[in-house]
Amino acid sequence: MSKRKFEKFYNKHIDKVYRHVFFRVSQDRELTDDLVSEIFLKALRKFSTYDKNKSISAWIMTITKNHLANHWRDKKVTVSLDIIDDNTELN
């Protein structure tokens, strides 16, 4: 894989990926920058294994959607049932 080839890929898809992430993280620019960087690092690591018979746009958007799902899953807040008072009424 050449640096030039990945650079061309990056420039072609950065706007679409950035917008997709930006509107899914409540327009938080700092978080968007971090996530988009991570997404393209993943793509760079896997770029040589990309199946050229498939859409490269669909490939990067799949990475994007999976990365966002992982981000939200990892950020999920959990509460131990032990801290719920026995007298607390559950709806």
Side-chain angles (χ1 to χ4, degrees):
M1 173 206 37
S2 71
K3 178 180 175 183
R4 179 89 172 120
K5 194 172 184 180
F6 187 80
E7 184 178 6
K8 185 177 176 182
F9 161 79
Y10 175 86
N11 289 331
K12 182 176 180 180
H13 295 93
I14 183 64
D15 291 337
K16 183 177 181 179
V17 170
Y18 193 92
R19 280 192 310 273
H20 184 85
V21 173
F22 182 70
F23 288 110
R24 282 158 183 81
V25 295
S26 302
Q27 301 178 2
D28 180 334
R29 289 192 186 277
E30 189 173 317
L31 179 56
T32 300
D33 291 343
D34 290 345
L35 292 171
V36 169
S37 295
E38 293 166 1
I39 289 163
F40 277 98
L41 280 173
K42 281 184 179 182
L44 177 61
R45 288 186 200 113
K46 299 292 184 177
F47 198 65
S48 62
T49 63
Y50 162 69
D51 180 359
K52 293 173 182 27
N53 295 321
K54 297 182 181 174
S55 166
I56 198 159
S57 181
W59 180 73
I60 189 62
M61 292 312 293
T62 298
I63 293 171
T64 300
K65 290 173 186 174
N66 289 341
H67 194 73
L68 281 170
N70 292 341
H71 165 74
W72 290 117
R73 182 199 64 225
D74 294 345
K75 191 174 170 129
K76 188 175 179 181
V77 176
T78 57
V79 177
S80 171
L81 294 177
D82 294 335
I83 65 169
I84 298 177
D85 183 13
D86 289 334
N87 296 325
T88 302
E89 184 176 323
L90 298 176
N91 294 331

